[in-house]
Amino acid sequence: MTALRALLLENWPLKLASLVFAIGLWLFVATEERADAVFTVPLDLTDPPPDVDVTSVGVETVIVRVEGRRSRLRQLHEDDFRAEVSLKNARPGRFVAPVQPENVSAPSGVRVVRVTPTEVRAVLEAR
């Protein structure tokens, strides 16, 4: 027991200063203000079938609303995001697909809250 007590009391001012610093750092990180931001992101149509051409697309960009720490959001640009809709099962004719937050890849520490518009319309023609 005395060895443990001696270990705890050895360099106690330095240990106390380290503890105060750690608590202060934790408070700064834990209470940093959360914010939201809006980015205009190009919409990519991926995985087109080999026998189909996209002749028109209703929208070429989507508006992405994200939230995260204010300091993180200040570092971001539109090219840090990617919005994709898969044409994997598309057939010639009119094509409508939902655009959801899951369709947008975002940097770590950022959560996609909303995507506008919520769907994309395209016209596909057989080659």
Side-chain angles (χ1 to χ4, degrees):
M1 187 70 164
T2 58
L4 179 61
R5 184 175 181 175
L7 184 63
L8 288 175
L9 293 177
E10 183 180 337
N11 296 325
W12 70 269
L14 185 59
K15 291 177 182 177
L16 181 61
S18 298
L19 180 62
V20 169
F21 178 75
I23 290 171
L25 183 61
W26 179 81
L27 284 172
F28 173 75
V29 170
T31 60
E32 185 180 3
E33 190 174 334
R34 298 200 53 87
D36 61 344
V38 176
F39 297 93
T40 302
V41 179
L43 179 65
D44 295 328
L45 300 178
T46 62
D47 305 320
D51 57 340
V52 172
D53 286 330
V54 178
T55 58
S56 72
V57 179
V59 295
E60 294 185 7
T61 61
V62 291
I63 298 170
V64 178
R65 181 172 171 249
V66 297
E67 71 176 18
R69 290 204 163 100
R70 185 177 306 275
S71 60
R72 179 69 174 127
L73 294 179
R74 274 190 239 125
Q75 301 170 348
L76 299 178
H77 304 283
E78 270 95 11
D79 56 347
D80 293 323
F81 298 89
R82 183 176 169 112
E84 296 180 337
V85 171
S86 176
L87 297 176
K88 190 172 188 176
N89 297 321
R91 293 194 169 91
R94 294 177 190 244
F95 176 78
V96 179
V99 183
Q100 301 172 339
E102 295 80 31
N103 296 97
V104 179
S105 60
S108 64
V110 176
R111 185 174 73 94
V112 177
V113 177
R114 184 178 304 141
V115 180
T116 307
T118 58
E119 65 182 21
V120 62
R121 296 173 186 264
V123 176
L124 309 173
E125 289 185 8
R127 288 188 188 165

